[in-house]
Amino acid sequence: MSARTRRLTTAQALVRFLSAQYTERDGVRRRLIAGTWGIFGHGNVAGVGQALVEHADVMPFHQGRNEQSMVHAAVGYARQLNRLSAQAVTTSIGPGATNLVTGAALATINRLPVLLLPGDYFASHAPDPLLQQLEHPVEADVSVNDTLRPVSRYFDRIHRPEALIPSALQAMRVLADPAETGAVTLALPQDVQAEAYDWPEEFFAERVWTVRRPAPDPVELTAAVEAIRSAERPLIVAGGGVHHSEAEEALKAFVDATGIPVASTQAGKGSLRHDHPADLGGIGHTGTAVSDDLARTADLVIGVGTRYTDFTTASGTLFQNPDVRFLNLNITGFDAHKLAARTLVCDARTGLETLAEALAGHRVGAAYEAGYRAGKERWDEVVEAAFRAGDDSAVPTQTQVLGALDAAVGDDDVVINAAGSLPGDLHKLWRSRSPRQYHLEYGYSCMGYEIPAGIGVQQAAPGTPVWALVGDGTYLMMPTEIVTAVQEGLPLNVVLIQNHGYASIGGLSEETGGERFGTAYRFRAADGTFTGAPLPVDLAANAASLGMDVLRAKTVRDLREALAAARASDRPTCVYVETDPAPTAPPAEAWWDVPVAETASREAAVAARERYDRQVAGRRRHL
């Protein structure tokens, strides 16, 4: 080896390179790739696996049980650290690689960085066809990893060792870029992983990637200030970009100065503390009454770091003021231009600080401010009633579960959820006390996300109590990472709510004429119908068999005691509670478009279509 090169395998070189990558924002430096998750098989065991052993001194390793779960854990980690640090995930070829696709889609949709390193076929094609290799009759360079192309922000297949150098640098650029980040895939043919090459020493030098805070364009800023000054009923919609930019204090200062109220998306909830007088809670289909009422009459909607999903806009039916206009502050032009908005393409914190300075002395009218504050007070009473209703000796409802958890957590605890009926109840009712407390994955709403994401959050914030809220349907999708929490010694708390079926989709099925078909866990009779008896499934016993301590709660009083015990424990703990399945949360305050059969013979579907036609007539195109 010469003084200017180092002879390593491709996999060894990649691990050394990753260990020397850093991000820096506001003078704070972090490891860009802080660790690697892996499940080994042919395709990565002798390449990346050997490299991780060789260089264990510089690259921490975490053993997973399911490839999709490993991506979820990495996403939870990156979100907790505001996208400034990420993790890598290595897999074998075949099913190990394709199991990454769901996690990659979740990461990219939510704009969260994760590096994927799936094994691939031999670049030489010498032993084709391999075990688990996809053979395409006319495209010999296609592999199952090509399924990752549409869900990755950057994709490359490394056919030669030296090709890793430019590709690895591009991968880091994308991961560290707040406007571009998401899943990044470097597919690694297994023969190339093990091939040696003389690498330039410069490739392994410490490299710092600056996470930019771009300022608004002066022309756009002038137009934005004019729009805000001329608005009588402005409303801020806070999205996940507020958190990613660490712009919570800037938002509070802006709101304190201007009096403009804030409604939040699922990703943006917690941008203001719940008890701030201008925090109106969630917006859209799962929003609060006060947020949605203001949205219908707002003449200016100021989106900060939001991508305006259909839940936020109530499928285009929410913002009904004939004169409503939009001003979008977003780090990506792609999202800033939605809804034909005026744009401020910039960092959320920088943009809010610049706007506040330019608007010095401006404040909304006193009547408007008094009106939304009164609406907030009315909604706070709704929340309190939902959390506290009922008898302590009774079987708890889902809203009582949330009320008991609200009483048990500290300000800095993290509550994680992603799917089922819980996201809607949480968005309406949860009282966020800190920026990181409310962790809802609702870009992809992936069942099974919660438990592995909880592991990632605890890795990112050791000592922080973490609560993964899962229903029975979600639990059955992906409980395997409980074993990982046990192995890693992480005191993850799982609140497992058993209501014997898919409660959320069951309600949607009923609303859209599907008559709750296929949404309950029941015995099937000989004639094909389902009986009323629930299946004799004991999910608590399953959690215990995977290594968790399990606390069973039969009443509201039991539940409160169990949650307190779980929070005090230093072991992975499951609080198992069977709930009254009757919905008790306030109903939806805005519509959501799920198309209903246009023709049908069953009465339920016909009635559902009539309701659908009335609702869809209220949709607007904002041009």
Side-chain angles (χ1 to χ4, degrees), residues 416-486:
I416 302 176
N417 187 242
S421 58
L422 279 165
D425 291 358
L426 285 161
H427 200 207
K428 292 189 194 83
L429 301 174
W430 189 258
R431 302 186 284 207
S432 298
R433 307 177 209 169
S434 63
R436 289 289 161 274
Q437 186 176 76
Y438 188 86
H439 183 128
L440 259 284
E441 188 288 294
Y442 217 59
Y444 209 44
S445 187
C446 185
M447 296 176 73
Y449 171 82
E450 296 89 344
I451 293 173
I455 291 171
V457 169
Q458 287 201 313
Q459 289 178 329
T464 299
V466 177
W467 303 85
L469 272 60
V470 294
D472 44 41
T474 289
Y475 178 85
L476 287 167
M477 286 280 182
M478 207 168 293
T480 51
E481 297 313 309
I482 286 173
V483 178
T484 303
V486 173

Side-chain angles (χ1 to χ4, degrees), residues 10 13-14 17-18 21 32-33 114-118 149 152-176 183-189 192 197 199-200 203 207 209:
T10 302
L14 177 59
F17 168 83
L18 294 177
Q21 307 303 303
L32 176 51
I33 304 299
V114 60
L115 176 61
L116 307 179
L117 305 172
R149 288 182 184 271
S152 297
R153 292 294 290 174
Y154 179 81
F155 178 99
D156 196 9
R157 183 176 285 115
I158 310 301
H159 284 109
R160 294 177 57 85
E162 60 265 37
L164 177 66
I165 295 175
S167 188
L169 291 168
Q170 287 293 337
M172 298 304 103
R173 176 191 65 80
V174 173
L175 289 170
V184 166
T185 300
L186 298 180
L188 302 172
V192 177
Y197 180 74
W199 301 89
F203 186 55
R207 193 178 303 266
W209 301 85

Side-chain angles (χ1 to χ4, degrees), residues 129-149:
L130 305 175
L131 174 66
Q132 300 176 329
Q133 180 178 347
L134 174 70
E135 292 186 276
H136 196 287
V138 295
E139 295 182 77
D141 63 339
V142 168
S143 85
V144 296
N145 286 334
D146 288 279
T147 59
L148 288 159
R149 288 182 184 271

Side-chain angles (χ1 to χ4, degrees), residues 50-374:
Q50 189 282 328
L52 288 168
V53 174
E54 186 94 2
H55 301 295
D57 58 324
V58 295
M59 181 57 68
F61 175 73
H62 309 290
Q63 183 182 26
R65 269 74 196 173
N66 176 285
E67 293 85 359
Q68 179 182 323
S69 290
M70 293 192 298
V71 184
H72 293 337
V75 166
Y77 178 91
R79 175 168 168 170
Q80 181 69 18
L81 295 177
N82 303 316
R83 307 191 298 193
L84 299 174
S85 184
Q87 294 175 323
V89 178
T90 178
T91 72
S92 64
I93 73 170
T98 52
N99 279 352
L100 296 173
V101 175
T102 296
L106 181 148
T108 296
I109 286 171
N110 285 286
R111 288 26 173 202
L112 292 166
V114 60
L115 176 61
L116 307 179
L117 305 172
D120 215 320
Y121 57 61
F122 280 61
S124 68
H125 291 277
D128 288 4
L130 305 175
L131 174 66
Q132 300 176 329
Q133 180 178 347
L134 174 70
E135 292 186 276
H136 196 287
V138 295
E139 295 182 77
D141 63 339
V142 168
S143 85
V144 296
N145 286 334
D146 288 279
T147 59
L148 288 159
R149 288 182 184 271
V151 293
S152 297
R153 292 294 290 174
Y154 179 81
F155 178 99
D156 196 9
R157 183 176 285 115
I158 310 301
H159 284 109
R160 294 177 57 85
E162 60 265 37
L164 177 66
I165 295 175
S167 188
L169 291 168
Q170 287 293 337
M172 298 304 103
R173 176 191 65 80
V174 173
L175 289 170
D177 188 335
E180 293 291 330
T181 197
V184 166
T185 300
L186 298 180
L188 302 172
Q190 54 186 304
D191 53 344
V192 177
Q193 289 182 46
E195 186 176 344
Y197 180 74
D198 292 326
W199 301 89
E201 283 289 348
E202 292 86 352
F203 186 55
F204 306 115
E206 185 176 295
R207 193 178 303 266
V208 179
W209 301 85
T210 300
V211 180
R212 296 181 294 276
R213 288 194 181 277
D217 177 84
V219 174
E220 289 191 334
L221 178 63
T222 298
V225 170
E226 180 183 349
I228 295 172
R229 286 190 181 278
S230 62
E232 295 182 358
R233 298 183 62 82
L235 173 66
I236 294 170
V237 175
V242 175
H243 293 311
H244 299 325
S245 178
E246 298 176 300
E248 296 90 356
E249 286 302 316
L251 177 64
K252 180 179 181 298
F254 180 82
V255 170
D256 288 344
T258 64
I260 300 175
V262 176
S264 55
T265 69
Q266 287 278 19
K269 194 172 171 74
S271 295
L272 290 180
R273 268 186 64 104
H274 75 92
D275 52 4
H276 190 285
D279 179 67
L280 307 183
I283 190 170
H285 176 62
T286 54
T288 67
V290 59
S291 286
D292 287 351
D293 285 347
L294 252 67
R296 292 184 181 97
T297 60
D299 56 359
L300 180 67
V301 178
I302 306 169
V304 182
T306 179
R307 58 193 188 93
Y308 287 112
T309 68
D310 60 343
F311 260 60
T312 298
T313 68
S315 301
T317 65
L318 185 57
F319 305 110
Q320 287 297 316
N321 187 326
D323 299 320
V324 67
R325 293 294 180 267
F326 296 84
L327 168 64
N328 291 339
L329 192 165
N330 204 292
I331 201 161
T332 73
F334 179 82
D335 289 319
H337 281 274
K338 289 177 179 177
L339 301 175
R342 289 184 174 90
T343 60
L344 274 178
V345 181
C346 60
D347 170 74
R349 192 168 88 183
T350 302
L352 287 167
E353 289 172 346
T354 306
L355 270 177
E357 183 178 351
L359 285 163
H362 174 75
R363 192 170 184 87
V364 299
Y368 179 56
E369 192 168 357
Y372 74 66
R373 289 192 178 200

Side-chain angles (χ1 to χ4, degrees), residues 574-614:
C574 173
V575 175
Y576 175 83
V577 56
E578 293 201 39
T579 58
D580 182 337
T584 53
E589 297 289 338
W591 186 58
W592 181 43
D593 189 349
V594 178
V596 176
E598 193 168 2
T599 61
S601 59
R602 297 182 68 85
E603 182 179 342
V606 172
R609 180 66 195 198
E610 291 174 354
R611 293 192 299 271
Y612 178 83
D613 288 338
R614 288 194 299 271

